[in-house]
């Protein structure tokens, strides 16, 4: 089956319409490997001429801690639960290093770290209704914000490819040298690469 093969390295489906936008066939393989490392999987549903839907499934049991009721058959309804509630439930305690918690009744704070103004605008347009966004244009600005004692973010969005410190270097520093765990500061790694 062609859909099962797309998760194998260097595999692609034949689609004459998208030839100019193709990569080398590693993205889905890498994504599936990461999902499996976390005990999850990626599912795909595709309809010819209409596109494909990819669903990342990761094991978690936030329902007891967040006071939520999620049934296995809720499907799409479960995906609409705000990530902020889940992150807040997982974090449990207050922010590390004396940072200030999100005031009651306010949207959670997300720290967006990206050197590209357009990417920052896209993040604000897509997440601004659910999060207050603080921008950092590079890793050093992100460190400065985290060390400032200001409101501690519930989430960090981190560009992979930045000049100076890469996203990987920033997250390594945050986890290893600053001792911020996944539950204290969830990090979502992002990459925006346009076809040449």
């Amino acid at each position: 089956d062609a859909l099962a093969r797309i998760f194998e390295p260097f595999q692609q489906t034949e689609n004459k319409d998208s030839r100019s936008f193709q990569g080398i066939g590693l993205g889905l393989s890498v994504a599936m490997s990461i999902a499996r490392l976390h005990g999850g999987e990626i599912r795909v549903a595709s309809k010819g001429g209409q596109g494909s839907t990819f669903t990342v499934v990761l094991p978690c049991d936030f329902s007891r801690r967040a006071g939520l009721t999620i049934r296995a058959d809720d499907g799409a309804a479960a995906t609409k639960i705000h990530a902020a509630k889940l992150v807040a439930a997982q974090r449990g305690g207050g922010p590390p290093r004396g940072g200030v918690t999100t005031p009651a009744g306010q949207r959670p704070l997300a720290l967006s770290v990206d050197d590209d103004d357009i990417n920052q605008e896209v993040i604000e347009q897509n997440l601004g209704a659910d999060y207050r966004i603080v921008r950092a244009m590079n890793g050093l600005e992100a460190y400065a914000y985290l060390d400032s004692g200001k409101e501690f973010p519930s989430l960090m969005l981190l560009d992979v490819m930045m000049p100076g410190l890469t996203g990987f270097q920033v997250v390594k520093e945050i986890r290893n040298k600053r001792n911020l765990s996944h539950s204290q500061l969830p990090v979502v790694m992002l990459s925006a690469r346009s076809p040449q």
Side-chain angles (χ1 to χ4, degrees):
D1 179 42
L3 283 180
R5 275 196 339 262
I6 64 172
F7 293 104
E8 296 173 13
F10 306 107
Q11 295 295 314
Q12 300 171 342
T13 61
E14 286 294 319
N15 184 346
K16 295 175 185 129
D17 296 333
S18 64
R19 278 286 179 217
S20 61
F21 299 108
Q22 269 185 281
I24 59 171
L26 285 175
L28 288 173
S29 173
V30 170
M32 180 64 89
S33 295
I34 292 170
R36 286 183 177 153
L37 284 171
H38 291 282
E41 65 181 352
I42 299 177
R43 298 176 186 159
V44 61
S46 184
K47 293 183 181 179
Q50 294 183 2
S52 301
T53 300
F54 293 86
T55 305
V56 178
V57 180
L58 297 173
C60 61
D61 184 10
F62 295 110
S63 59
R64 284 177 286 172
R65 286 185 267 172
L68 304 171
T69 302
I70 304 172
R71 294 189 330 256
D73 62 345
D74 278 348
T79 62
K80 298 198 184 271
I81 295 171
H82 290 237
K85 292 179 185 174
L86 302 179
V87 168
Q90 184 181 25
R91 280 182 58 183
R97 301 203 197 305
V100 180
T101 59
T102 299
Q106 290 225 5
R107 293 171 294 156
L109 184 75
L111 176 58
S112 175
V113 186
D114 197 312
D115 62 310
D116 188 290
D117 284 321
I118 293 173
N119 291 345
Q120 292 279 21
E121 286 295 324
V122 169
I123 288 168
E124 284 191 25
Q125 290 293 317
N126 286 284
L127 297 179
D130 296 313
Y131 288 88
R132 292 172 295 126
I133 308 293
V134 171
R135 290 184 183 190
M137 299 306 287
N138 58 52
L140 294 177
E141 287 183 19
Y143 297 154
Y145 183 85
L146 292 173
D147 294 338
S148 71
K150 295 179 182 175
E151 181 181 342
F152 199 79
S154 296
L155 175 69
M156 177 187 277
L157 303 165
L158 183 58
D159 184 18
V160 171
M161 299 182 299
M162 294 184 292
L165 295 170
T166 68
F168 295 112
Q169 291 169 314
V170 171
V171 81
K172 184 176 181 181
E173 163 89 11
I174 287 169
R175 297 291 182 236
N176 296 335
K177 293 184 181 170
R178 293 169 187 255
N179 296 317
L180 291 172
S181 69
H182 302 284
S183 62
Q184 289 173 312
L185 182 59
V187 175
V188 176
M189 303 290 287
L190 305 172
S191 181
R193 187 174 173 184
S194 61
Q196 300 291 345

